[in-house]
Amino acid sequence: MLRILRLAIAALTLLGLAGPASAAKEREVSIGLQAAITSMDPHYHNLSPNNSMMLHVFEPLIKRDANQKLVPGLAASWKAVDDLTWEFKLRKNVRFHDGSPLTADDVVFTLKRVPNVPNSPSSFATFTKPIVDVKVVDPHTLIFKTATPHVLLPSDLASVMIVSKLHGEKAATEDYNSGKAAIGTGPYKLAEYVPNQRVVLKANYGYWGGEEPWDKITFKILTNPAARVAALLSGDVQMIETVPTADIARLGKDPKYNVVDKVSNRVIYVHLNQSTDKAPPFVTDKSGKPLEKNPFRDARVRKALSVGVNRDVIVDRVMEKKAVAAAQLLPDFFYGTSKKLKPAKYDLEGAKKLLAEAGYPNGFALTIHGPNNRYINDDKVAQAVAQFYSRIGIDAKVETMPSSVYFTRASKLEFGYMILGWGTESGEQGSSLRSLLATFNRERGMGVTNRGRYSNPAFDKVLETALVTMDDKKREALIQQAAEMAMNDTALIPLHYEVSTWATTKGFDYTARTDQYTLAMGLKPRK
Amino acid sequence: MAGLVLLVAILVVGVLAPVISPQNPYDLAQLDVMDSKLAPGEKSPDGRTYWLGTDDQGRDMLSGIFYGLRISLGVGIASTVFALAIGLVFGLVAAYFGGWVDTLVMRIVDIQLSFPAILIALVLLAVLGQGVDKIVVALVTVQWAYYARTVRSSALVERQKEYIEAARVLALGQARVVFRHLLPNCLPPLIVVATVQVAHAIALEATLSFLGLGLPITEPSLGLLISNGFQYMLSGKYWISFYPGLALLLTIMAINLVADQLRDILNPRLRK
């Protein structure tokens, strides 16, 4: 009996020690991710978790730093020769994982491959489409031609990973997933990819940018927030992304852990469906009868719905302070944002008055639709907004659903009031205004994600002028003007900017990023 | 006895929920997100005391639990009654007529029982959408087979007895023989099964709500309350999950205790 007891104690001690002991193995690190990586083909699925993972194995011509400023990547330098011509110079010392050198041919091959990936659920072609002609001057110099002045070309190319022509020519998406074709120039090599479970990377010792501090990195997919925290607490992983807001305070106080955060480029906002003359779906009078007019076409109603939401309370109570009240589509330290725009102040009486002026003295009824697994506390935000609306006389129901269902239905305009999020990868407001608020026109690439179908010719004109203005200062002034026009008209309702959070065990430092990417390159051992 | 007292108390709370709750937890206008996540017994800024604390939307947990019990009991009882009625008819018909009717009904029952109940319910709710009525439909679908099987086995025994033969000899209508003579004598085991199944239905409803299917998030039942609080467990805000869990536990335990006693009372072998 005593022996069994002793054995049990020994076993327990071993179990207890096993976690930290294996974690302490130097130069190996595990990281818990929030979302699955759907493919290791860098041109298959334009999705933040994928794009973040790709940056370890592949590299674009131009990279973005932690604040999304453009910095040289595989291109050592670039410049606009004239309004329609760009010259890119490649680095000369870059080799792929197999030792073959990077040349202009690989870039040409990449640009050809991007629009032709079969079954791509979300293509990268938008980034390469503006380039109508490529000329190879020498193995390390390229000339790109565009049909119209395209200011955002460098920013677009920061989203396009360069692949090897040698390995990519006959490769399909499956060959990248298996690792056969996943030969990039990045600081890490792909060792193993198990969908929905893990991605294992090994160091690329010949990396042109110098050696990274880790030999092996295991990214574990831990979609459940509580499981992610539990994995960190148990020592199973040394870093997690998107710490649940409920646990931030606790981890922050514990000396065994570090929490870092940074306001992100992601705005959580509301699109009001203005596509119909009569009331859009799920918007009725209080007895459930349809409304004659679409209330969202009235700027006074839109404004009432904006000032009727107390953003400070959402930030303070629902987001536990890990969010910033929003006034536009990007926090105001980004390019093209206006310092004149301030978050709408909560005004209960003002909202009621605006509704009465617009002809709805008794309010109306609507259903708030939103995802329940995409953004931080998304379903809780929806409920809190509904609470505020009940106070200005609007009967608000809430229906949330998994993002896989939600976004498809929202794009078909099946809802009236939609809570959505938008991360501006380019880090400048012009592109988000163009996607979210320009008059919907798919052929011209304008308003492609404008699910509210807001349309304002005066705004369109200013924005379109901005998009073809090559001078940075002049362009910024025009984008700011467009942003002010849209926001003062409540074209959409910005709620808050997400604050991204990462937690590590003691002994690590992570450089927080505005684009919410979790990059092993930002993780360093603390000295 | 303790079980019965507890069950009656829970039933009273469920029925009277709108009267005795300090707040209507489903009326968004009565919630204040400023009062969210208050600990049990803590006073809110406007001076109200929440005895069991509040959840992440500022919902009074006590009211939430009362209303939640109301939904749980309602769903449990309604689905049991409908499932019982359907299972009863099919079971009796199968046993009384025998032959191919019996084979057909019992094979359907076999197929149904070979799938896990939770799986069928999940698929049904994914197709049907949200609402109390839809949960009841899903629960009836997964439960009627148990009753059909129980009724059939006891009806098979009863069918051989002389009083049924006597009724037939009198040339009574088949419906009359089945429902007036056969049915009452098959009931005792069924009552026990039904009581246990109420508890089972409540647990299943809580599971479905926990998984986010069934009821809208603004009208949480016990399962959804537990699920909402789950993510606050690690940060020490235990009450959002704990008290609804306790309420669920007590309810199911009370029903099972009563079912146990019923079984003893209705079992002739234990009668002295």
Side-chain angles (χ1 to χ4, degrees):
Chain A
M1 186 61 213
L2 207 67
R3 228 182 70 201
I4 296 173
L5 204 68
R6 236 184 256 146
L7 260 174
I9 291 170
L12 279 176
T13 327
L14 265 176
L15 277 175
L17 288 175
S22 64
K25 216 188 265 175
E26 272 184 60
R27 298 184 61 89
E28 274 188 26
V29 70
S30 291
I31 298 172
L33 297 182
Q34 166 201 17
I37 311 298
T38 61
S39 170
M40 284 307 290
D41 180 341
H43 308 140
Y44 176 71
H45 194 174
N46 183 10
L47 192 74
S48 298
N50 287 19
N51 299 348
S52 162
M53 180 59 67
M54 291 314 145
L55 280 168
H56 296 88
V57 181
F58 302 95
E59 288 170 297
L61 291 175
I62 297 168
K63 290 187 176 181
R64 295 195 182 100
D65 69 4
N67 292 319
Q68 284 182 277
K69 248 186 67 192
L70 298 178
V71 292
L74 293 178
S77 66
W78 63 93
K79 62 170 190 257
V81 181
D82 59 53
D83 276 9
L84 303 176
T85 314
W86 294 79
E87 188 193 70
F88 278 72
K89 292 245 182 235
L90 298 184
R91 283 179 200 277
K92 295 208 167 122
N93 53 347
V94 178
R95 287 180 179 278
F96 284 100
H97 296 159
D98 66 341
S100 58
L102 169 87
T103 67
D105 287 344
D106 298 305
V107 179
V108 175
F109 170 73
T110 299
L111 293 176
K112 270 204 202 111
R113 182 175 191 268
V114 167
N116 297 312
V117 178
N119 305 322
S120 165
S122 168
S123 172
F124 287 80
T126 37
F127 302 121
T128 58
K129 208 162 61 183
I131 300 175
V132 291
D133 189 37
V134 187
K135 254 192 232 117
V136 178
V137 179
D138 66 55
H140 295 102
T141 312
L142 291 129
I143 302 280
F144 296 143
K145 284 273 185 192
T146 59
T148 51
H150 188 63
V151 198
L152 292 181
L153 188 82
S155 162
D156 280 355
L157 288 177
S159 299
V160 178
M161 304 293 159
I162 304 301
V163 296
S164 152
K165 183 181 178 192
L166 179 68
H167 297 277
E169 251 182 337
K170 291 196 187 98
T173 295
E174 294 75 52
D175 298 314
Y176 284 92
N177 291 344
S178 72
K180 205 178 108 197
I183 310 290
T185 56
Y188 291 96
K189 300 179 194 176
L190 177 64
E192 188 191 21
Y193 165 64
V194 186
N196 293 316
Q197 284 189 30
R198 64 180 177 275
V199 178
V200 183
L201 304 177
K202 293 243 165 81
N204 168 19
Y205 297 111
Y207 182 56
W208 61 267
E211 206 172 292
E212 286 291 317
W214 313 111
D215 287 336
K216 183 181 166 192
I217 300 168
T218 308
F219 287 96
K220 298 186 177 175
I221 311 300
L222 301 165
T223 46
N224 182 308
R228 214 157 50 238
V229 176
L232 181 75
L233 295 179
S234 70
D236 193 27
V237 298
Q238 285 75 53
M239 172 161 92
I240 57 171
E241 62 177 6
T242 320
V243 187
T245 50
D247 295 305
I248 291 172
R250 193 189 96 117
L251 286 175
K253 263 184 257 157
D254 193 328
K256 284 194 296 229
Y257 303 97
N258 293 322
V259 180
V260 292
D261 62 38
K262 186 159 201 165
V263 65
S264 74
N265 64 9
R266 187 179 301 283
V267 63
I268 302 300
Y269 69 95
V270 177
H271 256 152
L272 300 165
N273 187 342
Q274 297 155 52
S275 69
T276 53
D277 292 328
K278 289 196 173 175
F282 297 101
V283 178
T284 61
D285 75 358
K286 282 196 170 173
S287 60
K289 277 193 233 108
L291 291 172
E292 270 309 301
K293 282 189 296 182
N294 186 336
F296 299 154
R297 285 201 177 165
D298 189 325
R300 289 169 296 190
V301 174
R302 298 199 297 268
K303 183 153 190 214
L305 293 176
S306 182
V307 299
V309 176
N310 193 335
R311 289 167 178 77
D312 296 336
V313 168
I314 291 183
V315 166
D316 189 54
R317 308 302 306 213
V318 181
M319 303 301 288
E320 317 222 16
K321 301 193 175 71
K322 294 297 173 194
V324 175
Q328 45 199 327
L329 304 178
L330 271 176
D332 65 10
F333 56 84
F334 281 102
Y335 180 87
T337 52
S338 165
K339 298 243 190 258
K340 279 188 218 149
L341 293 170
K342 299 278 173 237
K345 241 186 155 170
Y346 179 53
D347 183 0
L348 180 68
E349 292 312 316
K352 283 187 194 161
K353 230 177 95 194
L354 281 164
L355 282 177
E357 281 171 21
Y360 305 97
N362 301 314
F364 53 91
L366 57 79
T367 301
I368 296 174
H369 282 94
N372 58 18
N373 59 358
R374 179 64 189 89
Y375 310 117
I376 303 170
N377 296 343
D378 41 15
D379 55 339
K380 298 191 176 70
V381 171
Q383 292 178 68
V385 170
Q387 273 191 31
F388 291 122
Y389 286 167
S390 71
R391 297 194 176 121
I392 59 171
I394 287 180
D395 283 350
K397 282 202 213 87
V398 179
E399 200 180 327
T400 61
M401 53 195 82
S403 54
S404 52
V405 184
Y406 175 69
F407 289 114
T408 325
R409 292 187 62 189
S411 293
K412 289 189 203 149
L413 308 187
E414 287 181 26
F415 308 129
Y417 186 108
M418 300 168 258
I419 296 189
L420 295 153
W422 184 260
T424 306
E425 294 217 332
S426 65
E428 56 82 51
Q429 190 157 242
S431 66
S432 25
L433 288 171
R434 168 183 169 157
S435 296
L436 299 183
L437 288 173
T439 302
F440 178 73
N441 184 333
R442 191 165 278 144
E443 289 72 47
R444 296 186 51 231
M446 301 299 283
V448 285
T449 321
N450 183 354
R451 294 184 174 107
R453 295 292 190 269
Y454 172 79
S455 175
N456 177 349
F459 162 81
D460 285 347
K461 215 175 137 200
V462 176
L463 180 65
E464 285 187 29
T465 317
L467 292 175
V468 294
T469 303
M470 297 296 270
D471 183 276
D472 277 352
K473 279 256 160 56
K474 274 192 207 148
R475 183 169 76 252
E476 179 160 31
L478 284 166
I479 296 175
Q480 286 166 338
Q481 191 195 339
E484 284 160 20
M485 286 169 83
M487 293 305 138
N488 291 333
D489 196 26
T490 328
L492 54 68
I493 303 175
L495 292 175
H496 57 261
Y497 309 115
E498 285 188 345
V499 170
S500 333
T501 50
W502 291 266
T504 64
T505 47
K506 210 174 69 181
F508 296 90
D509 276 317
Y510 185 70
T511 314
R513 298 177 61 89
T514 51
D515 53 14
Q516 305 193 312
Y517 286 0
T518 298
L519 299 182
M521 288 75 86
L523 184 68
K524 304 281 182 228
R526 186 172 282 181
K527 272 149 207 148
Chain B
M1 199 54 211
L4 191 64
V5 172
L6 191 58
L7 185 60
V8 170
I10 290 170
L11 278 170
V12 169
V13 166
V15 171
L16 295 182
V19 185
I20 56 174
S21 298
Q23 172 193 79
N24 177 355
Y26 300 160
D27 180 5
L28 292 173
Q30 292 188 29
L31 307 185
D32 190 344
V33 75
M34 280 308 284
D35 293 351
S36 63
K37 289 166 276 189
L38 293 176
E42 205 176 317
K43 267 202 164 74
S44 74
D46 59 2
R48 268 185 297 178
T49 310
Y50 296 100
W51 292 109
L52 294 186
T54 59
D55 74 357
D56 56 286
Q57 291 293 321
R59 188 177 283 116
D60 175 34
M61 289 311 295
L62 188 67
S63 312
I65 289 168
F66 286 174
Y67 273 74
L69 281 174
R70 190 180 163 84
I71 295 183
S72 293
L73 290 168
V75 167
I77 293 169
S79 65
T80 303
V81 168
F82 287 121
L84 182 67
I86 295 170
L88 203 71
V89 171
F90 277 100
L92 281 177
V93 166
Y96 185 78
F97 292 104
W100 68 268
V101 179
D102 187 23
T103 314
L104 179 73
V105 172
M106 282 306 116
R107 288 308 78 77
I108 295 176
V109 167
D110 283 344
I111 293 170
Q112 166 102 57
L113 290 180
S114 66
F115 287 103
I118 185 83
L119 183 71
I120 301 178
L122 278 175
V123 172
L124 272 175
L125 281 177
V127 175
L128 293 173
Q130 291 185 330
V132 175
D133 47 339
K134 276 129 192 165
I135 291 201
V136 172
V137 170
L139 292 182
V140 169
T141 313
V142 300
Q143 289 194 312
W144 71 274
Y146 295 104
Y147 301 107
R149 170 150 290 179
T150 315
V151 173
R152 176 179 171 272
S153 57
S154 52
L156 274 181
V157 177
E158 295 297 322
R159 199 174 68 128
Q160 312 296 334
K161 294 195 174 157
E162 287 87 352
Y163 70 90
I164 297 290
E165 220 164 294
R168 274 183 173 161
V169 168
L170 284 173
L172 296 176
Q174 287 188 331
R176 195 180 158 92
V177 178
V178 171
F179 290 108
R180 292 294 297 275
H181 296 262
L182 195 53
L183 173 60
N185 292 295
C186 303
L187 276 183
L190 212 57
I191 291 169
V192 176
V193 173
T195 325
V196 176
Q197 285 295 323
V198 172
H200 195 76
I202 290 174
L204 200 56
E205 184 273 326
T207 312
L208 291 170
S209 300
F210 183 84
L211 294 173
L213 283 148
L215 293 169
I217 43 172
T218 46
E219 295 172 17
S221 65
L222 293 176
L224 195 53
L225 285 174
I226 296 172
S227 152
N228 280 344
F230 190 60
Q231 52 186 301
Y232 298 103
M233 288 296 262
L234 282 176
S235 55
K237 299 188 174 74
Y238 67 91
W239 59 90
I240 308 176
S241 277
F242 178 75
Y243 291 114
L246 191 67
L248 191 64
L249 180 87
L250 288 176
T251 309
I252 293 175
M253 195 182 75
I255 296 173
N256 281 334
L257 282 176
V258 170
D260 263 4
Q261 274 169 337
L262 267 181
R263 192 190 57 201
D264 292 349
I265 294 165
L266 294 173
N267 188 344
R269 263 174 242 143
L270 287 179
R271 235 175 260 159
K272 292 210 173 118

